[in-house]
Amino acid sequence: MKANERRGEILSLIGNSDNPVAAAVLAEKFKVSRQVIVQDIAVLRAGGYAVTATNRGYVLETKTKASRVFKCRHSFEEIVDEGVAVIDAGGRIEDVFVNHRVYGRITERLDLYNRTNVEELYRSLVSGASKPLMSVTDGYHYHTVSAENEEALDEIEKLLRNKGFLIEI
């Protein structure tokens, strides 16, 4: 298979997947090294394709979804409750960010789309390897949440409000 054909198939695979596709999975499928896949992704990006690398793999930013930013505040122990509420209501937590008084906006892509992702994040934070961003702003933080439509986002907003997590902006 020629490189251009492989790149076209890579675009098709990640564009049609609901979940990120790991470079190792692509490398195995196309019988090339992971480094070849990384180079293919670089060429695709240079060609104008919005391919984003996450810690779970590549995603193609082509699907139109509704998204909304929610300002939240809760305890460390309530991280899972917040995440599961969003996921169960059909949302995807794209990122978390805080507005630090000295450093400005600090953002991290999360790409949480199922309960397992939320629990993995919590376990990694509990291990003490790192602290959540909200710890530098007394629990205040923002999430960009995407869903299939505005109605789903309205439901997520209502759930977060009922749980006492939502801060009105």
Side-chain angles (χ1 to χ4, degrees):
M1 174 180 290
K2 294 185 178 183
N4 285 340
E5 293 171 0
R6 184 180 59 245
R7 290 179 191 131
E9 288 196 34
I10 289 171
L11 278 175
S12 177
L13 281 169
I14 63 177
N16 291 318
S17 177
D18 289 332
N19 300 318
V21 180
V25 170
L26 294 169
E28 184 177 323
K29 175 165 181 48
F30 296 111
K31 307 289 188 238
V32 295
S33 70
R34 186 181 165 285
Q35 185 57 37
V36 167
I37 297 298
V38 170
Q39 291 169 350
D40 285 342
I41 296 296
V43 170
L44 291 169
R45 286 180 177 151
Y49 292 98
V51 179
T52 302
T54 73
N55 61 348
R56 291 181 191 81
Y58 295 109
V59 293
L60 181 62
E61 305 293 335
T62 58
K63 298 176 182 172
T64 352
K65 292 183 178 179
S67 70
R68 194 176 297 170
V69 173
F70 296 107
K71 183 177 184 181
C72 299
R73 184 174 191 229
H74 54 73
S75 69
F76 177 83
E77 293 75 21
E78 294 171 313
I79 288 174
V80 173
D81 192 23
E82 174 196 48
V84 166
V86 171
I87 302 298
D88 287 353
R92 182 181 194 117
I93 302 173
E94 304 292 342
D95 63 17
V96 60
F97 63 94
V98 295
N99 290 321
H100 193 275
R101 289 184 180 167
V102 175
Y103 301 118
R105 182 174 171 158
I106 305 169
T107 305
E108 180 59 33
R109 184 165 176 89
L110 292 178
D111 199 33
L112 303 176
Y113 53 88
N114 62 36
R115 285 173 166 253
T116 303
N117 299 151
V118 174
E119 291 162 2
E120 286 172 358
L121 172 67
Y122 183 73
R123 276 195 302 275
S124 69
L125 292 171
V126 167
S127 75
S130 200
K131 300 270 187 220
L133 279 179
M134 66 183 209
S135 67
V136 299
T137 54
D138 196 30
Y140 292 97
H141 60 286
Y142 299 82
H143 288 294
T144 305
V145 175
S146 63
E148 290 302 314
N149 52 49
E150 289 294 328
E151 292 78 20
L153 290 172
D154 290 341
E155 182 62 26
I156 291 166
E157 184 173 332
K158 183 178 163 186
L159 283 168
L160 293 173
R161 184 177 291 111
N162 289 343
K163 289 183 171 292
F165 298 158
L166 189 67
I167 303 298
E168 303 298 333
I169 300 177

